[in-house]
Amino acid sequence: MPEANRERKKGVWILWLFAVGIFTSFFVFCVFLVWFGLNGYSADGFSLPGRDKIGLVEITGPIYTSEPIIQQLDDLAGRSDVHALVLRIDSPGGSVVAAQEVYRELRKIKDRDGLVILTSMGNVAASGGYYIACASDLIMASPGTITGSIGVIASWTQYDELLNWAKLKDVVIKSGEFKDAGNPARALTTEELAYHQALVDELHAQFVGAVAESRGLPVDAVARLSDGRVVTGTRALELELIDEIGNLSDAVERAADLAGLDDDHQLLHRRRDRPLNLMDLMEEYLLRRVADGLAGSRGPAGSGSGFHYLWRAPSRLETP
């Protein structure tokens, strides 16, 4: 009997040690998940804490708010293991202020944290998308990338004739001559047209100045290119609007070189809180179609009145 009791106790201890081992392994695994998924980001593969990383920020579609982009930039710039940022821009631009705020934040990060910042252009990086790219240390694009469109646009749909047809009248009580300048229920006066043109010209000059300062180009040279036209990546290289031809992987390797990282670096990017399912795909597709419709067919007026660094594409250059 004593021998049997010893064997039983030995078996119990073995089971306890096995259970403790399983629990410890699970705990360590959870710690790693928390570490690698910190602030909603994950690396492209398994890595140990402290391994050098390059932060990837994707800027896609029309840009009408800066907060989500700035939040990503600050999250990545605040990490001690991130030594460079790569912006992947695939955007026709958006509102003036959103582009300017992201541009300013990038300049602050460069000055404050000393990070290398590099832009990789996708299908389109035009107008406000190009404005943001100018804050980086180096810009790369593919030969067929559509970029440029240095300019400002403000537009709305005038429906005064429709109101007249329906025998409706728009009533406005205002405190000053220009308080309702741009009212779509009536035509612009000569003075109002000049007033809006002056605003557009001022915002345009801000765009030109930012490009000239960031790219190290004469203001006059940039002004000659700033009539709103778009150019290909190949032409942009000739005009010194970008620095090199290359894709996203080229940009990541170039950022690693500029930051002095070895081959063991990793790309850190925002992860989804849950896997994609059919509803996610449908939602993304519908949102993309709505955004494209606002930017391409109706222009900035569809997203609310205002002034925009936005390229109005004549048609889609890609399939969904």
Side-chain angles (χ1 to χ4, degrees), residues 19-246:
V20 170
I22 293 295
F23 177 79
T24 302
S25 300
F26 179 74
F27 177 77
V28 171
F29 177 71
C30 290
V31 170
F32 271 98
L33 284 181
V34 172
W35 178 271
F36 296 130
L38 188 62
N39 292 329
Y41 293 86
S42 59
D44 54 347
F46 186 78
S47 67
L48 293 174
R51 191 171 175 184
D52 291 337
K53 296 178 179 67
I54 296 173
L56 174 65
V57 177
E58 295 180 287
I59 302 175
T60 306
I63 308 164
Y64 291 116
T65 179
S66 63
E67 285 82 0
I69 301 172
I70 290 176
Q71 184 63 58
Q72 287 191 63
L73 293 172
D74 289 343
D75 285 347
L76 291 169
R79 294 181 57 128
S80 60
D81 56 349
V82 171
H83 302 281
L85 295 177
V86 172
L87 311 179
R88 176 64 170 178
I89 300 178
D90 201 337
S91 170
S95 73
V96 167
V97 172
Q100 290 181 337
E101 287 183 340
V102 175
Y103 174 91
R104 179 176 176 82
E105 190 66 20
L106 288 167
R107 296 291 294 266
K108 285 166 58 179
I109 288 173
K110 286 169 61 176
D111 294 339
R112 181 188 67 217
D113 304 307
L115 293 181
V116 170
I117 300 177
L118 193 146
T119 289
S120 168
M121 293 180 169
N123 295 297
V124 176
S127 206
Y130 179 70
Y131 191 110
I132 291 172
C134 285
S136 56
D137 298 297
L138 188 142
I139 304 175
M140 298 183 74
S142 293
T145 294
I146 296 299
T147 188
S149 188
I150 302 171
V152 187
I153 186 170
S155 68
W156 54 86
T157 300
Q158 187 174 313
Y159 50 78
D160 55 320
E161 293 185 8
L162 178 62
L163 291 179
N164 292 334
W165 174 82
K167 300 186 184 305
L168 298 174
K169 188 175 182 180
D170 183 60
V171 178
V172 176
I173 300 174
K174 56 185 180 179
S175 59
E177 178 184 359
F178 296 106
K179 190 61 179 177
D180 73 329
N183 183 351
R186 62 176 178 80
L188 286 171
T189 66
T190 302
E191 292 76 17
E192 289 172 339
L193 182 61
Y195 164 72
H196 277 97
Q197 187 61 57
L199 289 173
V200 167
D201 291 344
E202 180 181 351
L203 295 171
H204 182 243
Q206 293 175 12
F207 198 160
V208 171
V211 173
E213 179 185 1
S214 301
R215 300 296 302 166
L217 297 171
V219 173
D220 291 344
V222 176
R224 287 193 293 270
L225 303 173
S226 62
D227 56 1
R229 75 182 68 185
V230 294
V231 295
T232 64
T234 300
R235 181 60 177 155
L237 181 62
E238 296 173 356
L239 296 172
E240 299 183 67
L241 296 178
I242 68 170
D243 299 290
E244 297 179 14
I245 296 295

Side-chain angles (χ1 to χ4, degrees), residues 245-261:
I245 296 295
N247 58 20
L248 177 57
S249 62
D250 295 325
V252 172
E253 293 305 314
R254 194 75 170 87
D257 290 339
L258 292 175
L261 305 182

